[in-house]
Amino acid sequence: QSVLTQSPSASGTPGQRVTVSCSGSSSNIGSNYVFWYQQLPGTAPKLLISRNNQRPSGVPDRFSGSKSGTSASLAISGLRSEDEADYYCATWDDSLSGWVFGGGTKLTVL
Amino acid sequence: QVQLVESGGGVVRPGRSLILSCAASGFTFNAYAIHWVRQAPGKGLEWVAVISFNGDYTYYADSVKGRFTISRDNSKNTLYLHMNSLRPEDTAVYYCAKDETGSSWYGADSWGQGTLVTVSS
């Protein structure tokens, strides 16, 4: 059971907008930055969004992040087949004194 | 650019020990905290440990506390994970990941390619 809660799966058709949600508590999302990672099959995770909503250089502006209270969201617009991957949210948890991850959301592009 | 290369993985018997290494390049190694994160086959990401930029502070997941030790040698730009009393449930790909900060534990901005550890008799 992950400290951060994500839906196990999401799907959309090419061109659609999809949202992946991440729910936590006051000791983690509520008081720390949220990071989002994309993991393509057989590869290492890659940073998509840092500090709630900052897009690193090279990440398309189709990807955006937001945070409100103890929840965070990753939005992917103009869905493309190459977006099919697992997506993880992560943040520091002050009570656990550790970094915590969501269980991951598998995105399927139909 | 930032490069993190893990090594030391392999097959090990339960109860035995193993040391993983992570060689870093492309950034000022002694300015950043580094994490170890693992991923069991077919499972999600699980944080293992973190060490501050100067090694003064370390934190561990409950699942490895007392068995694993994270350390770093800033003169060699290398991170280590000493794993003792290994269990079958420690079987996973182990990644090292560079934090955005030195000791504020924001999150990782770069990851290595991982090294596979298999604990089996």
Side-chain angles (χ1 to χ4, degrees):
Chain A
Q1 195 81 342
S2 303
V3 173
L4 305 180
T5 301
Q6 293 182 240
S7 296
S9 63
S11 62
T13 57
Q16 268 191 329
R17 183 177 187 270
V18 170
T19 299
V20 178
S21 62
C22 177
S23 177
S25 67
S26 58
S27 66
N28 44 64
I29 292 179
S31 50
N32 293 292
Y33 288 122
V34 176
F35 284 60
W36 288 93
Y37 299 95
Q38 177 192 60
Q39 187 175 34
L40 297 169
T43 69
K46 169 194 165 186
L47 177 64
L48 266 188
I49 298 289
S50 73
R51 306 194 190 196
N52 303 334
N53 55 21
Q54 302 302 301
R55 212 174 31 252
S57 167
V59 174
D61 59 7
R62 301 187 296 107
F63 295 91
S64 62
S66 64
K67 174 182 137 175
S68 178
T70 60
S71 294
S73 294
L74 170 71
I76 309 171
S77 59
L79 201 60
R80 305 175 68 159
S81 58
E82 57 260 42
D83 298 334
E84 195 159 280
D86 293 324
Y87 293 85
Y88 294 90
C89 58
T91 188
W92 186 260
D93 190 298
D94 294 333
S95 295
L96 298 174
S97 292
W99 204 24
V100 291
F101 287 91
T105 297
K106 185 175 185 62
L107 176 63
T108 300
V109 181
L110 302 168
Chain B
Q1 75 276 18
V2 173
Q3 194 165 10
L4 299 164
V5 180
E6 302 92 338
S7 61
V11 180
V12 61
R13 299 263 194 259
R16 302 300 290 267
S17 300
L18 199 63
I19 301 174
L20 303 184
S21 300
C22 170
S25 60
F27 67 100
T28 306
F29 183 72
N30 62 13
Y32 294 93
I34 310 287
H35 303 262
W36 283 104
V37 177
R38 67 185 181 183
Q39 186 170 34
K43 302 296 185 183
L45 300 172
E46 179 190 16
W47 175 78
V48 173
V50 66
I51 186 167
S52 63
F53 69 101
N54 58 4
D56 282 357
Y57 299 98
T58 57
Y59 294 97
Y60 297 90
D62 286 346
S63 58
V64 306
K65 202 171 293 183
R67 299 188 300 124
F68 290 12
T69 301
I70 187 172
S71 63
R72 64 192 297 161
D73 186 338
N74 284 347
S75 68
K76 296 182 179 179
N77 285 2
T78 302
L79 174 78
Y80 302 99
L81 185 67
H82 297 244
M83 304 186 294
N84 296 323
S85 303
L86 282 161
R87 305 167 179 167
E89 54 264 37
D90 295 320
T91 294
V93 174
Y94 284 73
Y95 298 101
C96 59
K98 168 190 165 291
D99 198 276
E100 280 196 347
T101 72
S103 58
S104 296
W105 332 124
Y106 282 179
D109 58 9
S110 300
W111 296 66
Q113 85 292 345
T115 186
L116 176 62
V117 173
T118 302
V119 184
S120 174
S121 53

